[in-house]
Amino acid sequence: MPGNMFNDKGRLNIPEIEHDERKTIKAEVVVNAAYCPEGHNLISVDHDVSGFPGIIVRFRGRKSGNGLVSLSAVFGDTSYSVIEGEVDPNEPLVFSCPNCGTELDVLASCPCSPEAVTVMCYLYPRKDPHQAIAFCNVLSCPNSAVIRSGEIIRMLSELHL
Ligand SMILES: [Zn+2]
Ligand SMILES: [Zn+2]
């Protein structure tokens, strides 16, 4: 039997599916430049992740030690590939620029674990937190995928109005 066109209050039944479709479209967006606080581009054509040049950062952790990881530059994609060393995907890591060693700027804390934070890479060589991407410093966290921090900041301020 086909679904009722009207619900029991006599109103039209309208399926709500639009939100999920929007997410799928966003996952296709790729970052092609991501800068450290000192203006070094972290995107490397030598280390593809998910078919696109990755974001290369140095990591440091109590359990993980030191190493180098390439993060996916695709929005919403949590893939990464370890280039140097070994990483504990559940540990909050310190991310820094492989060129100058400057630690990435912190945007906010992340609810996934007590020490977890989201860190930023800037979309332009000058530091502008409204034109940046952000990701959690715990690689297993769903927020470790690249998000646009400017968009997130705008969304939050709209919600508070
Ligand atoms: Zn740098
Ligand atoms: Zn997290």
Side-chain angles (χ1 to χ4, degrees):
M1 197 182 149
N4 285 331
M5 206 162 76
F6 298 95
N7 65 19
D8 48 15
K9 286 177 184 145
R11 295 203 181 120
L12 256 177
N13 273 328
I14 299 162
E16 291 170 34
I17 49 163
E18 280 115 54
H19 296 289
D20 289 332
E21 286 177 1
R22 241 180 82 224
K23 262 186 196 164
T24 316
I25 293 163
K26 278 196 171 180
E28 303 292 329
V29 181
V30 180
V31 180
N32 48 32
Y35 296 91
C36 90
E38 297 297 321
H40 299 113
N41 194 353
L42 303 175
I43 299 284
S44 168
V45 291
D46 298 328
H47 299 285
D48 278 15
V49 183
S50 301
F52 294 96
I55 302 167
I56 311 289
V57 289
R58 199 156 276 292
F59 65 82
R60 193 172 76 231
R62 269 191 296 267
K63 284 181 255 171
S64 305
N66 295 296
L68 206 59
V69 66
S70 181
L71 307 168
S72 173
V74 181
F75 283 116
D77 179 18
T78 57
S79 308
Y80 61 88
S81 124
V82 177
I83 300 163
E84 233 180 77
E86 270 178 66
V87 77
D88 178 343
N90 299 315
E91 180 183 27
L93 300 166
V94 176
F95 287 137
S96 59
C97 170
N99 287 300
C100 66
T102 304
E103 288 179 14
L104 300 185
D105 288 333
V106 171
L107 174 67
S109 59
C110 181
C112 75
S113 113
E115 285 172 66
V117 289
T118 49
V119 294
M120 287 187 285
C121 293
Y122 301 100
L123 297 176
Y124 299 96
R126 65 172 189 280
K127 283 170 67 163
D128 179 356
H130 293 277
Q131 291 178 311
I133 52 165
F135 44 86
C136 180
N137 65 348
V138 177
L139 292 176
S140 63
C141 173
N143 294 336
S144 66
V146 162
I147 54 168
R148 261 178 289 200
S149 70
E151 248 178 33
I152 298 299
I153 293 162
R154 266 201 301 280
M155 271 165 55
L156 289 174
S157 54
E158 276 162 22
L159 284 174
H160 291 149
L161 286 176

